[in-house]
Amino acid sequence: MRSADVVVLGGLSGITAGISCRRHYPEKKVLLIRKEGTVLIPCGIPYIYGTVGGPENNVIPDGLLENNGIDLLKGEAVSVDREKKVITMKDGETISYDKLVFATGSTPLVPPINGIDKKGVYAVKKEFNYLGDLLEVMNDAKDVVIIGGGFIGMEFADECRKGRDINITVVEALPHCLQMAMDNEFCDEAQKKLSETGVNIMVDEKVEAILGNDFVTGVKLASGKELKSDLVILGIGAVANTELAEKSGIELGYRNTIKVDRYMQTYTDTDVFACGDCAMKESFFDGRPVGVMLASIATSEARIAGANLFSPTHRNCGAISVFSTLINGRAFAVAGLTERIAKENGIKYVIGEAEAPDTHPGGMPNSTLTKVKLIFARDTGVLLGGSLSGGKPVGEMVNVLSACIMHKMTADDMVMFQMGTHPALTSSPIVYPIVNAACKAVIPLKGIA
Ligand SMILES: Cc1cc2nc3c(=O)[nH]c(=O)nc-3n(C[C@H](O)[C@H](O)[C@H](O)COP(=O)(O)OP(=O)(O)OC[C@H]3O[C@@H](n4cnc5c(N)ncnc54)[C@H](O)[C@@H]3O)c2cc1C
C-alpha cells in the first residue's frame, strides 16, 4: 500500500495546502490526489473564451508541485476509512495517511429548470475537456443566453463576445446584475460598461424553461418572453463538493460545507482538516456562517491548514470577502461590507466617497478615473468595507482595503496613511482617493457635520 504523512484531496487550495505543509514541515511526505488530469486556473475560466484563447492557456503548472517536493496521484478518491486511515481510489489503489486535508472544492449549481439537461446547456465546471467542448460549441453559436448576472456571468458575457459575431443575453433574476456583491451605483456602472459592448442585459427576469428537443433552441422567461438560443451558460452559483467527506463520517455544517474550527481542523477528527470551497466559512465581522466562495479565501485557508497539520500555527480571522472583476476594460472591486449589507444587518455606518484620476496629471495616456466608497462603523470609526471602480490599479487597491479591514483601521488611521505615489502609476498624493474618502468620513464621524 502506498503511504504519505499528509494526503491532500484537491486542486487549487490543495496545492496551496501542500506547499504550506512542506514549508512548515519539510521532513513530511505530502501526496496530492486530484481527479483532474490538468488543473485550470479557476478564476481564469471566462478568459478561455476570449483573451487567452483556450483551456491549455489557463492551467496551473504541475511544476509547482515538483518544485515543492509534493507527489501527485491523478485519480478520484472514492472512500476514506478514518479508523484505518486509508483512502481508496476509483481504480482500487489504497493509500494510507497520517493527516488528511479535504480541499475538494465546489461544483456549479444546476437548478431544476425544465429542459436543463438538453445539449447545448453548460454549467461552468472546472474541467479541462468539458470547457474545451464549450469553446467549440461557442465558436459555432449564434445566440448565447447566460443565466445569472453575477461576476462569472458578466465575465463570460464580456469574454465570449470577443472576436465573435454573436448575440449575447444575460438574464438576471434580481433588479441589478452583481447585486449580491456590490452597491447599486457600481452595479449600474458595470451593467452600462457591459451593455456598451452590445451584450443585452435583462434584469428582473427569471428563466423558467429551456426550449428545444435534443438541443437547446431557446429559453422561456417567467414573464412569458422567449429568447432564441443555441447555447445556454449557467452562472448562478456553486455548491460545496463534500459527498466524500460526508460518506467518511465528517460532520457538515452551513450549506453542506465541512465543519472546521479556526485552525481548519474538522470538528469530527483531529487528523482531518479542510480548506477552500468545501470548508465552512464564518464572517470576519460577526462570526456568522457565510456562503462566499473565493480563491482568495480558499488559498488563505489552505495556508492556515497546511501550517497547522502537526502543530497549531495560524488562526483564521474569518472571511472578509474581497473580490475584483474587469468588465469591458473597467475594474470593479469590493472588500468587506457593502452599504447594502450594512443596512440589511442594521449596522450604523458613515460613508466617505472620493474620486481621482489614477495618474497625475490626469491627462497622462490611459489615465482612468478611480471611484472609492468606504464604510466605517458609526460608533468606532473602524473600516468595515470599501468599493471601487476604475482602471487596473483597483485590483490592488482593494487588497490595501482588505488589509486595513483585517487590522481594524479607523478613518483616523487612514487619514494618516502614507501612500506611495508616482505620476504615471497612481493618483496624486493630494487627492489619493482612499485617503480622501477617509478624510471625508472623519468629519461626520466626529459629529462635526
Ligand atoms: C468561472 C469562475 C471564475 C472565478 N473567478 C474568481 C475570481 O476572479 N476571484 C476569486 O477569488 N474567486 C473566483 N472564483 C472562485 C474560485 O475559483 C474558487 O473559490 C476556487 O476554485 C476554490 O478552490 P478550491 O481548491 O477550494 O476548489 P476547486 O477549485 O473546486 O478544486 C477542487 C479540486 O478537487 C478535486 N476533487 C474533488 N473531489 C475529488 C476526489 N474525490 N478525488 C480527487 N480529487 C477531487 C476537483 O477535481 C478539483 O480539481 C471563480 C470561480 C469560477 C468557477
Side-chain angles (χ1 to χ4, degrees):
M1 190 191 317
R2 199 166 167 166
S3 77
D5 299 314
V6 176
V7 172
V8 184
L9 301 174
L12 173 91
S13 58
I15 296 170
T16 316
I19 294 173
S20 171
C21 172
R22 290 277 300 156
R23 274 193 192 127
H24 285 265
Y25 314 102
E27 73 289 357
K28 299 292 181 191
K29 191 169 151 59
V30 177
L31 173 70
L32 181 92
I33 299 178
R34 70 160 195 248
K35 223 161 43 177
E36 306 303 322
T38 309
V39 181
L40 292 160
I41 300 168
C43 314
I45 290 171
Y47 300 91
I48 290 172
Y49 303 95
T51 307
V52 305
E56 64 284 2
N57 300 326
N58 181 52
V59 298
I60 301 177
D62 284 343
L64 257 183
L65 297 171
E66 273 167 46
N67 294 344
N68 286 282
I70 299 167
D71 295 326
L72 171 65
L73 176 63
K74 293 181 185 177
E76 184 178 350
V78 290
S79 75
V80 177
D81 182 334
R82 287 191 299 110
E83 289 274 296
K84 296 195 178 108
K85 294 185 147 189
V86 170
I87 296 159
T88 304
M89 303 293 291
K90 203 172 184 175
D91 64 5
E93 186 180 358
T94 51
I95 299 115
S96 73
Y97 67 86
D98 181 15
K99 306 280 179 185
L100 173 64
V101 182
F102 278 97
T104 47
S106 60
T107 50
L109 180 68
V110 180
I113 297 175
N114 230 329
I116 198 87
D117 47 1
K118 290 192 196 306
K119 291 189 180 122
V121 179
Y122 285 79
V124 185
K125 296 184 188 173
K126 295 169 220 146
E127 292 173 16
F128 191 92
N129 292 336
Y130 179 87
L131 294 174
D133 287 349
L134 171 55
L135 180 60
E136 280 179 28
V137 172
M138 191 180 293
N139 286 339
D140 292 331
K142 294 271 167 287
D143 301 285
V144 179
V145 170
I146 296 172
I147 306 179
F151 67 85
I152 292 176
M154 298 287 272
E155 287 176 8
F156 255 88
D158 192 22
E159 285 297 308
C160 61
R161 72 181 171 84
K162 291 182 181 166
R164 292 187 186 88
D165 182 17
I166 196 168
N167 299 314
I168 303 166
T169 304
V170 175
V171 181
E172 168 56 53
L174 296 170
H176 291 90
C177 288
L178 295 164
Q179 189 177 311
M180 306 286 277
M182 306 195 308
D183 285 331
N184 287 354
E185 62 273 33
F186 290 96
C187 298
D188 286 340
E189 201 188 343
Q191 273 179 223
K192 189 163 166 275
K193 283 304 285 180
L194 188 59
S195 301
E196 280 167 16
T197 68
V199 170
N200 179 29
I201 298 174
M202 299 176 82
V203 292
D204 268 329
E205 289 279 10
K206 227 172 167 168
V207 173
E208 199 176 61
I210 313 280
L211 308 174
N213 294 320
D214 223 16
F215 282 85
V216 57
T217 55
V219 301
K220 186 167 189 277
L221 306 181
S223 61
K225 288 178 205 148
E226 286 188 12
L227 303 173
K228 207 169 128 196
S229 174
D230 47 4
L231 171 60
V232 172
I233 298 169
L234 303 173
I236 53 169
V239 287
N241 181 17
T242 49
E243 242 175 74
L244 180 59
E246 189 177 26
K247 229 172 62 183
S248 61
I250 298 287
E251 188 185 355
L252 303 187
Y254 184 68
R255 293 188 185 172
N256 281 336
T257 50
I258 298 171
K259 257 187 131 170
V260 284
D261 61 19
R262 291 289 175 109
Y263 294 86
M264 308 316 295
Q265 197 168 32
T266 60
Y267 277 61
T268 321
D269 187 331
T270 50
D271 290 325
V272 179
F273 290 67
C275 58
D277 286 0
C278 69
M280 189 167 141
K281 313 210 177 313
E282 289 169 350
S283 163
F284 169 83
F285 300 96
D286 59 14
R288 279 192 278 184
V290 281
V292 60
M293 290 182 181
L294 288 168
S296 46
I297 299 175
T299 46
S300 165
E301 290 176 350
R303 275 178 220 107
I304 296 168
N308 290 344
L309 285 170
F310 296 93
S311 163
T313 306
H314 295 311
R315 191 176 184 279
N316 189 351
C317 69
I320 292 175
S321 187
V322 191
F323 90 97
S324 45
T325 188
L326 187 71
I327 294 165
N328 186 18
R330 188 152 177 90
F332 298 85
V334 177
L337 304 188
T338 57
E339 187 177 5
R340 177 185 290 109
I341 293 175
K343 260 190 200 146
E344 282 170 5
N345 287 282
I347 295 167
K348 299 230 172 347
Y349 60 86
V350 165
I351 299 271
E353 287 174 291
E355 48 183 64
D358 60 8
T359 61
H360 52 291
M364 278 214 183
N366 301 323
S367 184
T368 306
L369 187 73
T370 307
K371 296 183 186 170
V372 176
K373 174 178 178 181
L374 302 180
I375 300 179
F376 296 93
R378 170 86 233 187
D379 50 350
T380 60
V382 167
L383 181 68
L384 300 175
S387 303
L388 305 116
S389 73
K392 284 189 181 170
V394 154
E396 293 300 346
M397 288 170 77
V398 75
N399 293 333
V400 172
L401 292 182
S402 176
C404 297
I405 293 169
M406 185 172 167
H407 292 281
K408 300 192 166 64
M409 282 177 73
T410 62
D412 275 335
D413 295 330
M414 292 177 72
V415 166
M416 295 182 283
F417 192 66
Q418 299 176 21
M419 78 302 283
T421 60
H422 180 274
L425 299 175
T426 69
S427 301
S428 149
I430 302 171
V431 293
Y432 193 79
I434 289 180
V435 173
N436 259 9
C439 291
K440 289 186 186 166
V442 160
I443 311 297
L445 277 168
K446 290 200 186 314
I448 295 166

